């Protein structure tokens, strides 16, 4: 039995868990109403209580460590200018704590006593982020600006005694710095912890229980992949703790009272969790506990309960929609707390992917995930003995496609399409060297990887070589447009979602706070304008042959909607079939259920017409 796209998009997800101060309640986000809202549970798989009721999506929820209240974030229309709100869980009262709708507010965590919280915001100057501290009952202008920044600042948590905060400054996705900000100083200044040369990553930083050191993941010392390290604050010396054995240690969640932790490795896209407890006398020594027994293969978003006896996290997989599980730290026993429904679609009908590797033009091995429809599903659409295939290219580009649940993918598999998700050069998860292979002047090598993947698919016995579709969002949208204009004879159709069409106009018009970070990856307008013009799909549009569907959000602050307007107009001038769909109440992607239904129904109709 086949199901329509509306049914698939009503498959729910539960994620973003946070334990309450008594350890009895769990807050989480779930998209039952069509957008992520705050819900709470008091026991596993009991009926949850909905706490927020907005049309807009809630982006996070963090419970106070001491009181029955939580803070959550929400923007408007996808504009990413998140405001912070306090929810009193006993009364249901909600208060806007920031009330600066023109500014972004990036959550920095509660103080341990629950009296204050910290955040970074660009309310003073749109292009930079400052550090603020605010009392739990203060609002708007009551926030104290404790440090004026000059770049992309974010917060990594309060010290155990609440006297200091950790501050991170990002120059690119592969170069950061860490600082300590002393909140008790008369004039707080940043203390630089990580002076370095070249690009070095310092990420997922957490205070050690004694407040004298920091655990973090880094590639300090010319490592290709991230490893877990301990940084002594006073001496600024690094001690390796765990090597990733050729794979990234993605991050660590640490309880700074007990020293209990969960760290994860990203092994070929799959999550490998380690649970343990650091030695109080030796910060690099630790005891490990049994590995959690979790379904799916992708897990994250760890939140310890107040005693660090348990932790909550979200887990997902190709055939496992996202739910929250609670794990016993010492035994590894897990219990599913949420039961996000699958809209009546049997879970056993979901298809799982296979990890494959494709040799590219220069011998580089490109990993990807290939999912084939079942024999019954394939019979509905197969021609020439094979299935049409959607090549779905991730954004970033410093991102990674992993085998997590996608209702859209399962819908197209149900319709008889195969699905291929490549992690071309430039993707995260495979080391710094791999991620740098598409930087600036090497940009088009990643598009050549797509050509190699398509040629591999054409030789696959389960694939119809004449029915190959390019699909991607954000930077993945650029990859779609570049693939259609560089290798026009390979494609039956293209689907560009919030994609970059011209790097020059994109960099000129993206949010001021993002430009420097994006220039570090793509090249700068000052030094690389000619090259950026040369590789922009709008300037190579005369080669396009495949029908093109362009979708975008009117309020997109990252890739402005003008990118969609210009590529649709120029492609139409070439005489190829073009469809354009712009959502007035969306930004960089489609968060509202009714818009997702309209978008993917239209995509399905478009493919029915042209494939």
């Amino acid at each position: 039995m086949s199901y329509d796209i509306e049914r698939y998009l009503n498959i729910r997800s539960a994620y973003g868990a946070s334990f309450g101060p008594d350890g009895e309640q769990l807050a989480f986000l779930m998209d039952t109403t069509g957008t992520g809202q705050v819900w709470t549970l008091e026991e596993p798989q009991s009926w949850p209580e909905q706490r927020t009721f907005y049309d807009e999506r809630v982006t996070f929820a963090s419970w106070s460590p001491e009181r029955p209240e939580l803070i959550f974030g929400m923007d408007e229309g996808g504009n990413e200018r998140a405001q912070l709100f306090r929810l009193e869980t006993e009364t249901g009262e909600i208060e806007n704590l920031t009330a600066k709708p023109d500014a972004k507010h990036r959550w920095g965590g509660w103080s341990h006593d629950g009296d204050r919280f910290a955040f970074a915001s660009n309310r003073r100057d749109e292009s930079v982020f400052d550090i603020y501290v605010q009392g739990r009952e203060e609002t708007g202008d009551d926030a104290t600006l404790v440090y004026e920044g000059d770049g992309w600042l974010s917060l990594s948590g309060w010290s155990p005694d609440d006297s200091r905060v950790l501050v991170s400054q990002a120059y690119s996705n592969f170069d950061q710095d860490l600082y300590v900000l002393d909140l008790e100083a008369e004039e707080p200044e940043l203390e630089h912890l990580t002076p370095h040369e070249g690009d070095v990553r310092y990420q997922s930083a957490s205070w050690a229980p004694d407040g004298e050191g920091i655990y973090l993941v880094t590639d300090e010392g010319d490592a290709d992949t991230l490893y877990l390290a301990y940084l002594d604050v006073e001496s600024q010396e690094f001690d390796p703790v765990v090597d990733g054995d050729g794979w990234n240690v993605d991050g660590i969640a640490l309880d700074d009272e007990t020293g209990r932790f969960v760290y994860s490795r990203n092994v070929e896209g799959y999550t490998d969790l380690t649970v343990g407890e650091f030695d109080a006398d030796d910060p690099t020594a630790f005891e490990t506990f049994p590995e959690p027994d979790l379904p799916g293969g992708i897990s994250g978003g760890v939140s310890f309960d107040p005693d660090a006896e348990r932790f909550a996290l979200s887990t997902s997989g190709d055939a496992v929609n996202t739910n929250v599980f609670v794990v016993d730290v010492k035994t590894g026993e897990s219990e599913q707390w949420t039961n996000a429904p699958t809209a009546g679609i049997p879970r056993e009908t979901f298809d799982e992917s296979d990890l494959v590797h494709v040799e590219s033009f220069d011998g580089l091995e490109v990993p990807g995930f290939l999912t084939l429809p079942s024999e019954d599903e394939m019979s509905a659409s197969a021609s020439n003995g094979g299935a049409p295939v959607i090549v779905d290219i991730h954004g970033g580009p410093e991102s990674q496609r992993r085998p997590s649940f996608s209702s859209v993918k399962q819908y197209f598999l149900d319709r008889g399409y195969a699905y291929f998700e490549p992690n071309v050069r430039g993707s995260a998860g495979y080391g710094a060297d791999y991620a740098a292979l598409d930087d600036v002047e090497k940009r088009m090598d990643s598009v050549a990887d797509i050509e190699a993947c398509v040629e591999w698919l054409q030789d696959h016995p389960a694939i119809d070589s004449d029915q190959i579709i390019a699909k991607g969002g954000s930077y993945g949208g650029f990859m779609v447009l570049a693939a259609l204009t560089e290798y026009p004879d390979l494609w039956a159709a293209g689907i560009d979602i919030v994609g970059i069409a011209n790097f020059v106009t994109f960099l000129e018009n993206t949010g001021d706070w993002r430009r420097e970070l994006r220039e570090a990856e793509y090249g700068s307008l000052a030094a690389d304008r000619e090259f950026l013009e040369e590789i922009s799909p709008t300037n190579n549009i005369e080669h396009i042959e495949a029908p093109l569907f362009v979708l975008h959000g009117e309020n997109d602050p990252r890739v402005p909607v003008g990118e969609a307007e210009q590529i649709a107009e120029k492609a139409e001038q070439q005489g190829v079939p073009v469809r354009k769909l712009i959502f007035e109440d969306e930004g960089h992607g489609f968060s509202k259920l009714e818009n997702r239904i309209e978008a993917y129904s239209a995509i399905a109709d478009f493919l029915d017409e042209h494939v």
Side-chain angles (χ1 to χ4, degrees), residues 92-136:
E93 181 182 350
I94 294 174
E95 185 175 22
N96 188 336
L97 297 174
T98 48
K100 300 286 184 180
D102 293 332
K104 296 169 67 75
H105 298 84
R106 307 174 68 199
W107 177 241
W110 289 96
S111 61
H112 291 76
D113 58 14
D115 289 342
R116 297 172 293 167
F117 60 92
F119 61 90
S121 178
N122 63 345
R123 54 171 67 173
R124 178 181 60 87
D125 179 341
E126 187 176 76
S127 65
V128 299
F129 286 85
D130 302 326
I131 304 301
Y132 292 81
V133 171
Q134 185 168 328
R136 54 178 287 275

Side-chain angles (χ1 to χ4, degrees), residues 533-584:
E533 291 280 15
E534 178 185 327
I535 66 170
S536 291
T538 54
N539 296 328
N540 298 290
I541 196 65
E542 68 274 10
H543 301 301
I544 193 169
E545 296 178 7
L548 176 65
F549 194 177
V550 179
L551 302 94
H552 219 104
E554 182 73 37
N555 304 320
D556 192 338
R558 302 189 184 196
V559 181
V561 70
E563 298 297 298
E565 304 283 3
Q566 59 179 313
I567 196 66
E569 179 182 353
K570 289 180 179 292
E572 199 166 33
Q573 291 171 356
Q574 301 304 311
V576 300
V578 177
R579 181 169 180 187
K580 181 180 68 176
L581 181 57
I582 308 296
F583 292 97
E584 295 182 355

Side-chain angles (χ1 to χ4, degrees), residues 4 40 53 226 231 244 246 505:
D4 62 23
T40 57
F53 300 85
L226 296 168
L231 170 61
T505 56

Side-chain angles (χ1 to χ4, degrees), residues 443-489:
R443 178 70 44 211
M444 301 309 287
D445 287 352
S446 62
V447 185
D449 288 344
I450 296 296
E451 180 195 28
C453 290
V454 170
E455 291 174 345
W456 181 86
L457 289 167
Q458 288 174 329
D459 291 336
H460 196 292
I463 301 300
D464 182 348
S465 61
D466 294 325
Q467 302 293 334
I468 300 179
I469 302 112
K471 173 182 175 291
S474 189
Y475 175 79
F478 157 75
M479 291 290 284
V480 167
L481 298 173
L484 263 59
T485 53
E486 291 292 316
Y487 307 105
D489 57 330

Side-chain angles (χ1 to χ4, degrees), residues 224 430-437:
D224 186 47
Y430 306 97
D433 290 345
Y434 190 86
L437 290 176

Side-chain angles (χ1 to χ4, degrees), residues 66 321 327 376 482 589:
E66 293 293 334
N321 64 313
V327 178
D376 290 342

